[in-house]
Amino acid sequence: MAINIPRGKTDPIIDKVIEALEDYQKDHPQAEIDLYRQNSVSIRIRVIDEELDGLTKPERSQLIWKYLDKLSEDEQGDLSTIILLTPGETQKSLANFEFEDPIPSEL
């Protein structure tokens, strides 16, 4: 599956984040990955992956950061939200609802 940018445009930092997430995508081909820039200093990422089932929140975080650690400190500084869900969790996740229909940012 491709990595999607559901709103907005790409930029150099988003391109770097996509590069890092492409490695996750190779290791988890069924994962759905979306990201977008919320504002000038905030990138939101959502990963929906059946392989996250049974993992705790810290385990999920460790898994994704194995890939995002490739980013520079400045690039990581723009990551404001990382949502890690199984397909079954998407309908009850408040974070997923906010990702789907974000409140506009003032920045």
Side-chain angles (χ1 to χ4, degrees):
M1 301 187 134
I3 297 173
N4 301 305
I5 302 173
R7 63 187 55 80
K9 302 176 199 171
T10 189
D11 62 45
I13 294 179
I14 285 185
D15 290 341
K16 291 288 191 177
V17 174
I18 288 172
E19 279 181 39
L21 291 172
E22 282 174 342
D23 290 336
Y24 183 93
Q25 186 77 75
K26 287 176 193 168
D27 293 342
H28 304 266
Q30 297 305 312
E32 296 176 37
I33 303 173
D34 301 297
L35 71 150
Y36 67 91
R37 182 170 288 286
Q38 173 71 6
N39 57 48
S40 63
V41 296
S42 176
I43 295 173
R44 292 179 170 185
I45 300 170
R46 176 182 60 189
V47 176
I48 302 172
D49 186 356
E50 189 65 47
E51 292 183 46
L52 297 173
D53 191 37
L55 297 180
T56 64
K57 288 181 182 181
E59 289 169 334
R60 292 177 185 197
S61 182
Q62 287 175 343
L63 178 62
I64 197 70
W65 277 102
K66 191 168 75 173
Y67 300 90
L68 296 175
D69 273 340
K70 299 172 186 175
L71 299 170
S72 72
E73 191 173 308
D74 285 343
E75 293 160 348
Q76 288 180 11
D78 276 13
L79 303 180
S80 65
T81 303
I82 303 172
I83 305 167
L84 306 168
L85 302 169
T86 66
E89 295 168 339
T90 60
Q91 295 301 313
K92 55 188 172 188
S93 167
L94 294 176
N96 189 54
F97 295 139
E98 170 62 20
F99 191 93
E100 291 287 338
D101 190 20
I103 297 170
S105 175
E106 299 277 329
L107 295 177

